[in-house]
Amino acid sequence: MIRKTLSSLVLAATVGFVALPHPVFAVQPDEILEDPALEARARLLSKDLRCLVCRNESIDESNADLARDLRLLVRERLVAGDSDEEAMAFIVDRYGEYVLLNPKVTGANWLLYAAGPGMLLLALMMAGFYLRGRSAAAEQEAAAGDALTAQEKAQLDRILKD
């Protein structure tokens, strides 16, 4: 009985581990550099570069042909002796800042970073003005509703007597 339960637990743990999402790398064996240090640098750089086809995947995760070309280009630059910064600068110069998964907050990009919080503040201000106007209208309506004219009082008295 204990043995059966233990084997069931091991099976469940194994299936659970296999079912968990794991990072998948699309790097082909023919792309991998012989120098482990250069390969580690290439992988690090690849994680920061966007696949221009898949958009929200790094070139390290993408199976697209363009991602493969970018991975090979990164490795070529590193083998040529470029530093990490020089290799990234070369790719950004060639493909634009869009190729970076985390663009720098410089130039026009600061507008993109500020747009979200700015829109939130604008929405909060608009909601505040709306609620303030709504409460003021409710107060005016309540004040106007309390004061009946003489004709309305007479009509109300007639209705109540009947």
Side-chain angles (χ1 to χ4, degrees):
M1 180 70 173
I2 293 174
R3 191 174 243 174
K4 191 182 257 187
T5 306
L6 185 61
S7 64
S8 297
L9 286 173
V10 169
L11 179 64
T14 305
V15 169
F17 180 74
V18 170
L20 286 175
H22 298 284
V24 178
F25 299 111
V27 178
Q28 303 297 316
D30 63 333
E31 297 174 31
I32 297 175
L33 297 172
E34 291 179 16
D35 183 4
L38 281 179
E39 180 61 27
R41 285 177 52 204
R43 287 287 176 102
L44 230 112
L45 293 177
S46 295
K47 289 178 184 173
D48 292 335
L49 293 172
R50 176 190 319 270
C51 173
L52 299 173
V53 175
C54 306
R55 299 207 177 147
N56 282 337
E57 282 186 345
S58 70
I59 62 171
D60 210 26
E61 300 166 337
S62 175
N63 285 322
D65 290 336
L66 183 58
R68 176 181 165 81
D69 294 342
L70 281 171
R71 287 191 303 264
L72 290 173
L73 182 60
V74 166
R75 284 166 173 75
E76 283 175 19
R77 299 307 303 174
L78 293 178
V79 168
D82 284 359
S83 69
D84 293 354
E85 293 79 22
E86 290 171 338
M88 287 296 269
F90 178 82
I91 292 172
V92 169
D93 288 344
R94 193 168 196 183
Y95 293 97
E97 268 194 49
Y98 182 73
V99 78
L100 297 174
L101 270 175
N102 296 315
K104 296 174 178 68
V105 187
T106 57
N109 286 345
W110 72 269
L111 286 173
L112 295 174
Y113 281 100
M119 292 303 243
L120 177 65
L121 288 175
L122 181 65
L124 290 174
M125 286 176 26
M126 289 174 59
F129 287 131
Y130 172 75
L131 291 175
R132 184 183 300 168
R134 188 172 161 189
S135 67
E139 287 174 8
Q140 286 177 350
E141 193 175 299
D146 290 344
L148 295 176
T149 63
Q151 184 183 4
E152 291 171 337
K153 284 183 183 180
Q155 186 179 4
L156 184 61
D157 286 339
R158 268 195 321 256
I159 292 172
L160 291 175
K161 285 182 184 177
D162 291 337

